[in-house]
């Protein structure tokens, strides 16, 4: 068990959640979201081969994956399955690290009582585990530097609640929206977008001042790339706000080169977007002018690879804002297979009932 796993368990975030937490769309119970052939199979079994006891096993095919979606899947079964009190459910925990082909969930009971939920369970485990693993890998790359999830805008808004939960399971509790924090009690945080500066006719100092006037109990984190001149604007804001300024955030587009480099030789590096050389220069300018207390937040196209490179080099960043790479890299697919029939091995070629000492019988519900 590595340090992150220990911290997760210490936080108690792998405790069982229930269907009081997960607010399911009632159409899940009608088969609206189920693959049609599972619905047909349930009807065929009920009419021709009922009451067989099967074991369905769920797994995926990658190593070093952070599992998430287990509690949600169990709650789904207990909400929309039938005769659920007769089902035996064995599962790992949200936040567990898993390996390829390791069973994470087993359901034993009558197929007709739960089988049509298979594809929905696969989807829950796939999405949640993909996001949790992405976050886990970004946090490893960050080496202790705080990471703020800006993933609310990277996908359909309906993904925010589940993605926010997976993000929290993996270790990030700074999110943009209340929806992202719904299942774990978090709230969205943030200060200003570019729109506020635009409404102030490009006057970044005015934007910061009226923000602070409106939210007097909050120090300002100023967005300083509006004019693509982050050092000039950072110093301008710092001189105006003094200790009311908490941080400056650099969000320069990869399509642009900051004006700091207008008269400088950039032949030895790529000056586009938020580059290391710009952040080193910004940190020096703030320190040289008496603003060493002002933090630097960076965002825009930060991946685990870029963060890993920056933290190895100790680029002076206080917080990384990450969006796309947390949620738009859903590459972990789960499979549900029937592997036992009436107490005997029965599975398609290449599959079998994988034994696991880590699976625990889940007593449910726990409120």
């Amino acid at each position: 068990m590595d340090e992150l796993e220990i911290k997760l368990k210490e936080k108690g975030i792998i405790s069982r959640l229930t269907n009081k937490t997960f607010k399911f769309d009632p159409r899940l119970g009608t088969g609206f979201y189920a693959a049609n052939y599972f619905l047909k199979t349930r009807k065929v079994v009920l009419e021709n081969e009922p009451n067989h006891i099967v074991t369905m096993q769920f797994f995926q095919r990658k190593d070093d994956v952070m599992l998430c979606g287990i509690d949600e899947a169990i709650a789904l079964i207990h909400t929309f399955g039938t005769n659920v009190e007769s089902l035996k459910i064995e599962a790992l925990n949200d936040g567990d690290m898993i390996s390829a082909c390791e069973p994470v969930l087993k359901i034993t009971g009558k197929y007709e009582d739960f089988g049509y939920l298979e594809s929905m369970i696969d989807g829950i485990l796939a999405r949640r585990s993909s996001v949790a693993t992405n976050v886990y890998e970004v946090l490893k790359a960050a080496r202790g530097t705080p990471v703020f999830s800006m993933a609310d805008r990277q996908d359909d808004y309906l993904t925010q609640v589940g993605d926010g939960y997976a993000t929290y399971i993996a270790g990030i509790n700074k999110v943009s929206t209340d929806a992202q924090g719904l299942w774990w009690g978090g709230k969205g945080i943030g200060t200003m977008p570019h729109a506020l500066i635009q409404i102030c006719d490009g006057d970044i100092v005015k934007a910061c001042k009226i923000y602070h006037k409106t939210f007097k109990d909050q120090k300002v984190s100023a967005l300083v790339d509006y004019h693509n001149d982050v050092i000039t604007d950072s110093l301008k804001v710092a001189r105006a706000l003094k200790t009311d300024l908490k941080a400056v955030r650099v969000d320069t587009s990869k399509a642009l080169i900051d004006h700091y480099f207008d008269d400088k030789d950039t032949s030895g590096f790529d000056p586009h977007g938020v580059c290391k050389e710009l952040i080193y220069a910004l940190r020096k300018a703030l320190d040289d002018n008496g603003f060493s207390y002002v933090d630097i937040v960076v965002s825009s196209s930060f991946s685990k690879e870029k963060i890993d490179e920056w933290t190895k080099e100790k680029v002076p960043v206080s917080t990384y804002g990450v969006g796309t790479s947390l949620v738009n890299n859903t590459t972990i697919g789960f499979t549900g297979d029937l592997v036992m029939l009436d107490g005997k091995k029965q599975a398609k070629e290449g599959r079998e009932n994988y034994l696991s000492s880590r699976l625990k019988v889940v007593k449910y519900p726990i409120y």
Side-chain angles (χ1 to χ4, degrees), residues 201-263:
D201 198 25
D203 188 336
I204 186 172
V205 171
K206 179 181 178 182
C208 290
K209 284 187 173 180
I210 64 172
Y211 176 90
H212 190 54
K213 178 183 177 183
T214 304
F215 298 100
K216 296 180 177 63
D217 60 335
Q218 297 179 17
K219 290 192 174 185
V220 178
S221 291
L223 190 53
V224 293
D225 63 283
Y226 187 86
H227 299 290
N228 198 36
D229 195 359
V230 302
I231 293 176
T232 298
D233 278 353
S234 292
L235 292 176
K236 188 183 297 184
V237 169
R239 291 179 180 124
L241 271 68
K242 298 182 173 55
T243 57
D244 288 330
L245 181 64
K246 177 182 179 181
V248 292
R249 177 161 74 92
V250 183
D251 190 54
T252 309
S253 166
K254 287 197 299 183
L256 299 176
I257 298 174
D258 191 271
H259 290 304
Y260 170 76
F261 298 113
D262 287 351
D263 59 353

Side-chain angles (χ1 to χ4, degrees), residues 41 65 94 109 114 145 264 276 294 297 301:
T41 298
V65 165
D94 286 341
F114 68 91
T145 303
K264 295 175 178 61
K276 293 181 288 187
V294 175
V297 179
S301 303

Side-chain angles (χ1 to χ4, degrees), residues 21-267:
T21 301
F22 306 106
K23 306 300 182 184
F24 293 116
D25 184 330
R27 290 176 296 178
L28 286 162
T30 69
F32 182 72
Y33 290 101
N36 187 259
Y37 63 177
F38 289 133
L39 300 176
K40 289 180 175 178
T41 298
R42 184 174 189 269
K43 181 176 175 61
V44 170
V45 169
L46 279 169
E47 293 181 3
N48 298 276
E49 288 287 339
N51 302 319
H52 290 291
I53 303 300
V54 301
T55 295
M56 183 176 288
Q57 170 180 272
F58 293 84
F59 70 96
Q60 55 81 52
R61 296 175 176 84
K62 292 188 176 183
D63 290 329
D64 202 26
V65 165
M66 177 169 281
L67 177 64
C68 191
I70 285 290
D71 286 359
E72 188 178 354
I74 294 170
L76 179 85
I77 296 163
H78 277 265
T79 303
F80 299 112
T82 55
N83 301 311
V84 291
E85 66 284 348
S86 67
L87 299 178
K88 179 183 179 182
I89 299 176
E90 301 167 273
L92 298 183
N93 291 297
D94 286 341
D96 281 347
M97 299 305 298
I98 59 173
S99 302
C101 297
E102 179 180 7
V104 302
L105 174 66
K106 289 186 181 184
I107 311 163
T108 300
K110 295 178 183 179
Y111 179 84
E112 56 267 35
D113 287 341
F114 68 91
Y116 86 100
L117 299 172
E118 177 182 333
S119 60
M120 292 175 273
I121 294 171
D122 282 335
I124 289 170
L125 294 176
R127 179 74 185 193
R128 305 293 176 255
S129 297
S130 292
V131 173
T133 302
N134 293 339
V135 173
Y136 166 73
E137 291 175 348
V138 164
L139 287 175
K140 281 205 302 186
R143 294 180 171 84
T145 303
V147 177
F148 171 47
S149 172
M150 305 175 69
D152 56 291
R153 68 204 70 186
Q154 306 304 329
D155 211 329
D156 187 296
Y157 70 92
L158 291 173
T159 65
Q160 287 187 31
V161 174
D163 287 356
Y165 170 68
T167 297
Y168 175 73
I169 285 294
I172 290 179
N173 61 7
K174 295 180 179 178
V175 294
S176 302
T177 71
D178 290 352
Q180 290 170 289
L182 180 63
W183 286 348
W184 51 273
K187 293 291 184 182
I189 61 173
T191 52
M192 66 176 65
H194 294 102
L196 181 59
I197 303 170
Q198 191 270 351
I199 289 169
C200 292
D201 198 25
D203 188 336
I204 186 172
V205 171
K206 179 181 178 182
C208 290
K209 284 187 173 180
I210 64 172
Y211 176 90
H212 190 54
K213 178 183 177 183
T214 304
F215 298 100
K216 296 180 177 63
D217 60 335
Q218 297 179 17
K219 290 192 174 185
V220 178
S221 291
L223 190 53
V224 293
D225 63 283
Y226 187 86
H227 299 290
N228 198 36
D229 195 359
V230 302
I231 293 176
T232 298
D233 278 353
S234 292
L235 292 176
K236 188 183 297 184
V237 169
R239 291 179 180 124
L241 271 68
K242 298 182 173 55
T243 57
D244 288 330
L245 181 64
K246 177 182 179 181
V248 292
R249 177 161 74 92
V250 183
D251 190 54
T252 309
S253 166
K254 287 197 299 183
L256 299 176
I257 298 174
D258 191 271
H259 290 304
Y260 170 76
F261 298 113
D262 287 351
D263 59 353
K264 295 175 178 61
D265 179 11
T266 60
S267 58

